[in-house]
Structures are given as structure tokens and as C-alpha cells.
Amino acid sequence: MTYLTPRIALVGDRSPAVRSHARIPGLLDALADRDQLVLDAYWIPTEDAGAPGALDGFDAVWLLPGSPYRSEAGALAAIRTAREGGIPFLGTCAGFQHAVLEYARNVCGLADAVHGEQDPDLEQQVIVPLACSLVGHEGAVEITPGTLAERALGTTATLERYHCSYGLNADYLDRLRAHGMRFSGAEESGQVRVLELPDHPFFLASLFQPELSGDGTRAHPVIRALAAAAVAHAALGE
């Protein structure tokens, strides 16, 4: 049997000014060297991600930080492709925010849902400014037992790093839950930090940035979990 190296789409507008982007090559090396999880990675700008067939043949999609994206439509198209196609998906920071936005529009029937950073003057903001910015913040996250997040992290309590100023509007929690989205991680105050889709093979998003964990020489458990899901997805195609 021929081993197929899993292909992962790194969706985002790559920039040396974004610290998490700069860490990606080292994290991929760490996955290969320390975890024996070898991935064939391709950067796909958001402006290209919405093109027909842009994500064909990929075994995982990782929507990276860097909001506002150059193409909100491209970012949302990447999420929808992964969600509807059963492709393992990880969204971090802005990836979390846009996973909420895509689900609100295309599953919850909230066609006018917007991201408050992109459309601050419109009414139906499912993503809004945080009461306190999390730029440079580190905080404890409580993980719900029995969830994908717990399996990925291997714990029900974790300390994570952030670099964001926007989060989920709690007014929409019930609507999102009613349509199948699970919120599996929160700060002690109850503010949501992790989401997942239980009926999907692997769909996870975090407001925190696992790319910033440690010194960058070992991949965060969530990133390892995505890589393992990509390997499993590639095996299905053999």
C-alpha cells in the first residue's frame, strides 16, 4: 500500500508581521520530527480560497489568525467546504470568529449576520468587540468533559495565549446551540473560547492561538490532533 502524505491547506493572508504565521514552519517541522506526523502544507490566501476547487484534494483545512482577512468571502468559503465535505478543520483566533459567522449565516438562517470588525455599523453582529481585549493575554480555559476539545487537549483545564479583541456575541449562543454547534471551552466567567461540531469527523475552533504555545519547538495538542485527523482522512482516500 502506498502511503499518501496528507495535504493541509493553511488558509490565511500570510504575513511576517503576524507572529502565529511566522511559527507555522517550525510547528510543521516539530510535527514531523517529534510526533511523526508529516504534512504536505500549502498556504492559500483568502482571496483564492473561495475559487471553485480551491480546496480539492486536501485532507485538512486550518484557518489561521490575521483578521480582517483580505477576503471574508474566501475565508467563509473555506470553512463551508470543510464543514460540508467532512474535511478536518481547525480555526484559530479569527478562524474561530469566522467559523461562528459561517455557521450563523448558512446553518442558522441568519443571512444578515456580520463580524463587528468588518461591519461595525450593521445590526446583526454575531462577533463583537470583547469587553476587555485579549491581545497579549493568557487565561485559563475550562474544557467540557467528553468533547472533541477534551480528547484533543487531553485535559479539562488549560492555560492558553490570545491575541484578539473580538469574540462571540452571547446573544446568539442559544440560536447556534439549537442548530448543533457545541461550545466546549470557556473561561471561568463563562465566556466561550472553544467550539466544535459533534456530527463532523473533526471540526474545532479556538479563540486562543495554539500557535503561540511554548517556545514553538513542539506543536500544541490541538495542532497535533488536527494533524492526526488529516492522516486519518488521507488514509480513507487510499
Side-chain angles (χ1 to χ4, degrees), residues 5-12 14 24 28 39-45 54-64:
T5 302
R7 300 173 73 235
I8 182 170
L10 304 173
V11 179
R14 191 176 189 180
I24 296 298
L28 292 171
L39 301 177
D40 194 4
Y42 295 82
W43 279 88
I44 300 181
L55 299 181
D56 286 356
F58 282 99
D59 299 295
V61 175
W62 185 355
L63 184 57
L64 290 157

Coordinates of all heavy atoms in Angstrom, one line a residue, residues 5-12 14 24 28 39-45 54-64:
T5 N 1.0 11.2 1.8 CA 1.3 12.3 2.7 C 0.1 13.2 2.8 O -0.3 13.7 1.7 CB 2.5 13.1 2.3 OG1 3.7 12.2 2.3 CG2 2.8 14.2 3.4
P6 N -0.5 13.4 3.9 CA -1.7 14.3 4.0 C -1.4 15.7 3.6 O -0.3 16.2 3.9 CB -2.1 14.2 5.5 CG -1.4 13.0 6.0 CD -0.2 12.8 5.2
R7 N -2.4 16.3 2.9 CA -2.2 17.7 2.4 C -3.1 18.6 3.3 O -4.3 18.3 3.4 CB -2.6 17.8 0.9 CG -1.8 16.9 0.0 CD -2.3 17.0 -1.4 NE -2.0 18.2 -2.1 CZ -3.0 19.0 -2.6 NH1 -4.3 18.7 -2.6 NH2 -2.6 20.1 -3.2
I8 N -2.5 19.6 3.8 CA -3.2 20.6 4.6 C -3.2 22.0 4.0 O -2.1 22.4 3.5 CB -2.6 20.6 6.1 CG1 -3.4 21.6 6.9 CG2 -1.1 21.0 6.1 CD1 -3.1 21.5 8.4
A9 N -4.4 22.6 3.9 CA -4.5 23.9 3.4 C -4.4 24.9 4.6 O -5.2 24.9 5.5 CB -5.8 24.1 2.7
L10 N -3.4 25.8 4.5 CA -3.2 26.8 5.5 C -3.8 28.1 4.9 O -3.2 28.8 4.1 CB -1.7 27.1 5.8 CG -0.9 25.8 6.3 CD1 0.6 26.2 6.3 CD2 -1.4 25.3 7.6
V11 N -5.1 28.3 5.3 CA -5.8 29.4 4.7 C -5.6 30.7 5.6 O -5.9 30.7 6.8 CB -7.3 29.1 4.6 CG1 -8.1 30.3 4.0 CG2 -7.5 27.8 3.8
G12 N -5.1 31.7 4.9 CA -4.9 33.0 5.6 C -4.0 33.9 4.7 O -3.3 33.4 3.8
R14 N -0.9 35.3 4.5 CA 0.4 35.1 5.2 C 1.2 36.5 5.3 O 1.3 37.2 4.3 CB 1.3 34.1 4.4 CG 2.5 33.7 5.1 CD 3.2 32.6 4.3 NE 4.3 32.0 5.0 CZ 5.1 31.0 4.6 NH1 4.9 30.5 3.3 NH2 6.1 30.5 5.3
I24 N 4.5 28.9 12.0 CA 4.0 27.7 11.3 C 5.0 26.8 10.8 O 5.0 25.5 11.0 CB 3.0 28.1 10.2 CG1 1.8 28.8 10.8 CG2 2.6 26.9 9.4 CD1 0.9 28.0 11.7
L28 N 5.3 22.8 11.9 CA 5.2 21.7 10.9 C 6.4 20.8 11.0 O 6.3 19.5 11.0 CB 5.1 22.2 9.5 CG 3.8 22.9 9.2 CD1 3.8 23.6 7.8 CD2 2.6 22.0 9.3
L39 N 3.1 16.4 7.2 CA 2.0 17.0 6.4 C 2.6 17.8 5.3 O 3.7 18.4 5.4 CB 1.2 18.0 7.3 CG 0.5 17.5 8.5 CD1 -0.2 18.6 9.3 CD2 -0.5 16.4 8.2
D40 N 1.9 17.7 4.1 CA 2.3 18.5 3.0 C 1.5 19.8 3.0 O 0.2 19.7 2.7 CB 2.0 17.7 1.7 CG 2.7 18.2 0.5 OD1 3.4 19.3 0.6 OD2 2.4 17.7 -0.6
A41 N 2.1 20.9 3.4 CA 1.3 22.1 3.7 C 1.4 23.1 2.5 O 2.4 23.3 1.9 CB 1.8 22.8 4.9
Y42 N 0.2 23.7 2.2 CA 0.1 24.8 1.2 C -0.6 26.0 1.8 O -1.7 25.9 2.3 CB -0.7 24.2 0.0 CG 0.0 23.1 -0.7 CD1 -0.2 21.8 -0.3 CD2 0.7 23.3 -1.9 CE1 0.4 20.7 -0.9 CE2 1.3 22.3 -2.6 CZ 1.2 21.0 -2.1 OH 1.7 19.9 -2.7
W43 N 0.0 27.1 1.6 CA -0.6 28.4 2.0 C -1.6 28.8 0.9 O -1.2 28.9 -0.3 CB 0.4 29.5 2.2 CG 1.1 29.4 3.6 CD1 2.2 28.7 3.9 CD2 0.7 30.1 4.7 NE1 2.5 28.9 5.2 CE2 1.6 29.8 5.8 CE3 -0.4 31.0 5.0 CZ2 1.5 30.3 7.0 CZ3 -0.4 31.5 6.3 CH2 0.5 31.1 7.3
I44 N -2.8 29.1 1.3 CA -3.8 29.6 0.4 C -4.4 30.9 0.8 O -5.0 31.0 1.9 CB -5.0 28.6 0.2 CG1 -4.4 27.2 -0.3 CG2 -6.0 29.1 -0.7 CD1 -5.5 26.2 -0.5
P45 N -4.1 32.0 0.1 CA -4.6 33.3 0.5 C -6.2 33.3 0.5 O -6.8 32.6 -0.3 CB -4.1 34.3 -0.5 CG -2.9 33.5 -1.2 CD -3.3 32.1 -1.1
A54 N -10.7 25.1 -5.0 CA -9.5 25.6 -4.4 C -9.0 24.6 -3.3 O -7.8 24.6 -3.0 CB -9.7 27.0 -3.8
L55 N -9.9 23.9 -2.7 CA -9.5 23.0 -1.6 C -9.7 21.5 -2.0 O -9.7 20.7 -1.1 CB -10.4 23.3 -0.3 CG -10.2 24.7 0.2 CD1 -11.0 24.9 1.5 CD2 -8.7 25.0 0.6
D56 N -9.9 21.3 -3.2 CA -10.0 19.9 -3.7 C -8.7 19.1 -3.3 O -7.6 19.6 -3.6 CB -10.2 19.8 -5.2 CG -11.6 20.2 -5.6 OD1 -12.4 20.5 -4.7 OD2 -11.9 20.3 -6.8
G57 N -8.8 17.9 -2.8 CA -7.7 17.1 -2.5 C -7.0 17.3 -1.2 O -6.0 16.6 -0.9
F58 N -7.5 18.2 -0.4 CA -6.9 18.5 0.9 C -7.5 17.6 1.9 O -8.7 17.3 1.9 CB -7.0 20.0 1.3 CG -6.0 20.9 0.5 CD1 -6.4 21.6 -0.6 CD2 -4.7 20.9 1.0 CE1 -5.5 22.4 -1.2 CE2 -3.8 21.8 0.3 CZ -4.2 22.5 -0.8
D59 N -6.6 17.2 2.9 CA -7.1 16.4 4.0 C -7.3 17.1 5.3 O -7.8 16.5 6.3 CB -6.0 15.3 4.3 CG -5.8 14.4 3.0 OD1 -6.7 13.7 2.7 OD2 -4.7 14.5 2.4
A60 N -7.0 18.4 5.3 CA -7.4 19.3 6.4 C -7.3 20.7 6.0 O -6.6 21.1 5.1 CB -6.4 19.0 7.6
V61 N -8.1 21.5 6.7 CA -8.1 23.0 6.5 C -7.8 23.7 7.8 O -8.5 23.4 8.8 CB -9.4 23.4 5.9 CG1 -9.5 24.9 5.8 CG2 -9.7 22.8 4.5
W62 N -6.9 24.6 7.8 CA -6.6 25.3 9.0 C -6.7 26.8 8.7 O -6.0 27.4 7.9 CB -5.1 25.0 9.5 CG -4.7 25.7 10.8 CD1 -5.4 26.6 11.5 CD2 -3.4 25.4 11.4 NE1 -4.7 26.9 12.7 CE2 -3.5 26.2 12.6 CE3 -2.3 24.7 11.1 CZ2 -2.4 26.3 13.5 CZ3 -1.3 24.7 12.0 CH2 -1.3 25.5 13.2
L63 N -7.8 27.4 9.2 CA -8.0 28.8 9.0 C -7.3 29.6 10.1 O -7.6 29.5 11.3 CB -9.5 29.2 9.0 CG -9.9 30.6 8.7 CD1 -9.3 31.1 7.4 CD2 -11.4 30.8 8.8
L64 N -6.2 30.3 9.7 CA -5.3 30.9 10.6 C -5.7 32.4 11.1 O -6.6 33.0 10.4 CB -3.9 31.0 10.0 CG -3.3 29.6 9.8 CD1 -2.2 29.6 8.7 CD2 -2.7 29.1 11.2

